[in-house]
Amino acid sequence: MKTKALIARGDAKSYGVAFETIDTADWPEGDVTIRVSHSGVNYKDGLAMTGRAPIIRSFPIVLGIDLAGEVVEAAGRFKTGDKVIVNGWGLSETRWGAYSELVRMPASIVQPLPVGLTGEQAAQIGTAGYTAMLCVMALTGHGLQPGRDAVLVTGASGGVGSVAVSLLARAGFHVIALSGRAEQEGFLRDLGAAEVLGRDAISAGGRPMAKERWAGVVDVVGGQVLADAIAQCRYDGIIAACGMAGGGGLQSTVYPFILRGVTLRGVDSVNVPMARRETAWETLARDLDPALLAALSVTRSFGDLPQIGLDLLEGRLKGRVAVAL
Ligand code: NDP
């Protein structure tokens, strides 16, 4: 079957990205054929489409890490007509990905569309939103309590951050949103942030430990912001670190860990086992306010890729962007 797909051709040093018409028979692996209705655009998609970081490890490759769609050729636990999603699992890295009207995927990485969500909503949530959910699960699993605890969310107006703000605020946490874009304050307060701080407002002044300000952190930025977030984390608090939008480095000391018992918890979304994914997605379907999801999301057309990826990396977007195929 012929399909339009966004493909990267070349090698790790130099590659081009273009829409092509290909045949699903050329798909390297996969036993479930899915007609994709929607896909999402994530930070990693931006990096892959622009070549700004070495995301792609196998060429040629179909880009895109998230999809929602309908099964047209069944295998495994799926039957024709089932609504499904796929997120991560090496898509757009080592495995042909989501930016194609038709895709073929191994049944083992396909999961049912959670009850209560449309394909468009699932793509709007996407890897960014599902990663936000994994971070929130890390915080609540550590014992943080709504109504009592303050949580800092960095990179708050981006994809992961905006969903994290929405989920945490709706659960009843006191959400402190950190954003470099003062003009997004209204947006973040509408999502439920109790406080909105500029990036400079959490500087610990180079000290390894400073006054305790939050019990938990969802960090997408890394670098100095993560170091400052650790330095001001409360006794027995937890930092869920999932991103590097501000840099991959981390300069800290052992003191917050050995004197305050602070936990630094890494969060990955790509290789999470299926059972935990399904829990995360079921919780998103139940707890993410659909009105807030609509407020932080926009759906654009397939042809707008890869310009959307560039705009995302340049900080010209807020919240989540999905594309309809
Ligand atoms: P977005 O681009 O949507 O959001 C990132 C936000 O970070 C921006 O909106 C901005 O927020 C802030 N930011 C950007 N650049 C800087 C900077 N130089 N210094 C400080 N803050 C900055 O990306 P996503 O939300 O989709 O992804 C965020 C991060 O999480 C990325 O690094 C991504 O790779 C990672 N990620 C990791 C996953 C995992 O499995 N571990 C899964 C998904 C994402 P503001 O303007 O409000 O300050």
Side-chain angles (χ1 to χ4, degrees):
M1 288 182 280
K2 298 287 183 202
T3 181
K4 179 179 164 188
L6 188 67
I7 298 195
R9 290 189 189 276
D11 55 39
K13 287 200 189 85
S14 168
Y15 64 86
V17 172
F19 286 104
E20 294 181 22
T21 299
I22 57 168
D23 200 305
T24 51
D26 296 334
W27 219 269
E29 60 166 349
D31 44 12
V32 183
T33 305
I34 302 165
R35 185 175 304 283
V36 178
S37 67
H38 296 87
S39 185
V41 189
N42 299 274
Y43 196 85
K44 189 184 272 179
D45 295 312
L47 293 175
M49 286 189 281
T50 58
R52 288 198 189 172
I55 300 296
I56 305 171
R57 283 176 278 145
S58 165
F59 290 87
I61 197 164
V62 175
L63 301 179
I65 66 171
D66 289 330
L67 69 85
E70 183 176 322
V71 173
V72 292
E73 279 177 3
R77 60 176 165 150
F78 301 100
K79 55 184 193 317
T80 304
D82 281 355
K83 300 277 199 299
V84 295
I85 59 173
V86 183
N87 310 102
W89 293 116
L91 264 55
S92 180
E93 298 181 68
T94 53
R95 198 172 239 158
W96 283 26
Y99 293 156
S100 176
E101 293 157 337
L102 290 163
V103 301
R104 287 178 62 74
M105 296 284 152
S108 59
I109 69 167
V110 180
Q111 70 188 88
L113 176 71
V115 174
L117 291 180
T118 64
E120 181 178 19
Q121 288 172 319
Q124 288 174 338
I125 293 169
T127 286
Y130 141 70
T131 303
M133 188 72 245
L134 293 174
C135 291
V136 172
M137 286 163 63
L139 268 46
T140 52
H142 190 73
L144 263 58
Q145 283 181 17
R148 183 192 70 184
D149 291 325
V151 177
L152 174 74
V153 178
T154 70
S157 53
V160 177
S162 58
V163 177
V165 169
S166 308
L167 286 167
L168 290 162
R170 195 171 195 221
F173 286 98
H174 179 91
V175 179
I176 305 167
L178 188 77
S179 176
R181 289 182 272 175
E183 71 275 16
Q184 299 303 346
E185 175 164 356
F187 168 66
L188 291 166
R189 288 200 184 271
D190 287 348
L191 298 184
E195 299 177 51
V196 180
L197 303 179
R199 285 180 197 163
D200 296 340
I202 68 156
S203 170
R207 285 171 294 165
M209 288 205 304
K211 185 170 178 287
E212 299 178 15
R213 293 174 74 180
W214 34 77
V217 180
V218 174
D219 179 59
V220 310
V221 174
Q224 189 56 45
V225 165
L226 176 56
D228 289 332
I230 293 169
Q232 294 162 92
C233 191
R234 198 193 69 189
Y235 189 89
D236 207 18
I238 178 168
I239 293 111
C242 72
M244 33 59 75
L250 174 59
Q251 276 213 309
S252 186
T253 70
V254 297
Y255 298 116
F257 308 108
I258 65 172
L259 298 179
R260 285 188 180 158
V262 165
T263 296
L264 179 58
R265 170 74 195 271
V267 174
D268 162 67
S269 65
V270 176
N271 292 306
V272 176
M274 188 56 89
R276 187 143 36 109
R277 282 173 192 264
E278 293 188 350
T279 301
W281 274 100
E282 282 159 17
T283 313
L284 280 161
R286 191 191 64 213
D287 291 354
L288 184 59
D289 182 345
L292 288 189
L293 177 62
L296 65 84
S297 307
V298 62
T299 299
R300 298 186 35 192
S301 54
F302 190 28
D304 290 349
L305 297 168
Q307 181 61 42
I308 301 171
L310 186 61
D311 289 343
L312 185 143
L313 294 187
E314 297 289 334
R316 290 193 285 263
L317 304 178
K318 66 176 183 187
R320 291 284 301 142
V321 181
V323 289
L325 280 80

